[in-house]
Amino acid sequence: MANWASDPCSWLPENNTLENWAYRFWHYKLPVYEKLVSPHHTTPEIKATVAQSLLDAAGNIRTSTLLRRQFRVACLINPDDLFESEVTIFFDDGYFRTFLPPSEYGATRKAPFTISTEPATMDLVRAWGLTVPNELVDFGGYLISAYEDGEANTSRAMHHWVFAEAGFQQSKPF
C-alpha cells in the first residue's frame, strides 16, 4: 500500500484521459483484496495502514503535476467497510460538496427507506493514529443510517469521513 500511495503516476490514467474526462469525478478504489479489509477478517493495524495509504495517495496526487485542469483531490474513508473507501479527483466542486458532512443532521424519508445522519461517534485521525498530509483538510465525519420501514433487520449504519483539499484549484503547470 505504501508503494502504491507514493507513486500516483503508476496508477492514474494517462494525462490526456483525465484532461478530457467528461464526468464530474474520477476515483480509485483500494488496490487490495476485499477480504483483507472486510470487517470480519481485518485487524485495527491493517485498517490504519490502509487508511494512511489512502491519505498519502491523495496528498501525493495534489503535489504531483499530473493535471492541468481544475480539480480537487479527496480521500473518502468508510471505516465500517474500508473496501468502500477511495481516492477521488473531483472536477466539479458542487458535486464534491455533496460528499461533505451535512450542515444539518436529521432524518429524511425516501420511501420505503428512512435515512438519518448524525455527527461521527469517533475521531478517526486520533483513533487510528493517522497523519493527514499538509495538502488535505479533515472535513470530518458523519454517521448515516438507513432502514427500510416495516422490515426487520434492514438497518444499515456507516461512518463516512472526508479529507480533501481546502479549495478547488488549477493544478501546477508542467
Side-chain angles (χ1 to χ4, degrees):
M1 288 293 300
N3 289 338
W4 166 81
S6 68
D7 185 16
C9 294
S10 68
W11 49 270
L12 282 173
E14 300 272 331
N15 271 340
N16 59 351
T17 301
L18 286 177
E19 294 298 328
N20 299 313
W21 193 251
Y23 301 98
R24 298 184 290 181
F25 70 96
W26 182 89
H27 66 222
Y28 196 91
K29 295 290 188 175
L30 292 173
V32 299
Y33 290 110
E34 183 175 8
K35 194 171 186 177
L36 178 68
V37 293
S38 68
H40 302 296
H41 298 95
T42 196
T43 66
E45 294 80 14
I46 290 172
K47 290 170 91 171
T49 298
V50 168
Q52 186 63 59
S53 294
L54 286 164
L55 287 167
D56 293 344
N60 288 332
I61 290 170
R62 180 66 257 166
T63 59
S64 73
T65 56
L66 294 173
L67 292 169
R68 291 177 290 221
R69 67 186 282 196
Q70 281 194 327
F71 72 97
R72 182 193 301 248
V73 66
C75 179
L76 310 174
I77 298 178
N78 179 337
D80 302 307
D81 187 354
L82 206 48
F83 197 68
E84 291 186 7
S85 302
E86 62 188 47
V87 173
T88 307
I89 298 171
F90 289 94
F91 301 111
D92 178 325
D93 211 38
Y95 186 61
F96 162 75
R97 286 191 295 274
T98 67
F99 286 82
L100 294 176
S103 56
E104 294 182 22
Y105 296 101
T108 304
R109 177 148 167 70
K110 295 183 179 182
F113 294 96
T114 298
I115 299 169
S116 65
T117 56
E118 59 187 81
T121 58
M122 65 185 279
D123 178 345
L124 186 68
V125 172
R126 189 171 59 218
W128 288 9
L130 303 175
T131 302
V132 180
N134 292 334
E135 297 79 21
L136 304 180
V137 173
D138 180 351
F139 281 91
Y142 61 101
L143 178 67
I144 185 167
S145 302
Y147 58 91
E148 189 169 349
D149 299 332
E151 295 292 324
N153 302 318
T154 59
S155 178
R156 182 174 184 212
M158 289 198 162
H159 282 92
H160 296 271
W161 229 271
V162 180
F163 301 88
E165 289 182 84
F168 195 68
Q169 309 168 14
Q170 181 74 27
S171 181
K172 301 170 191 167
F174 285 93

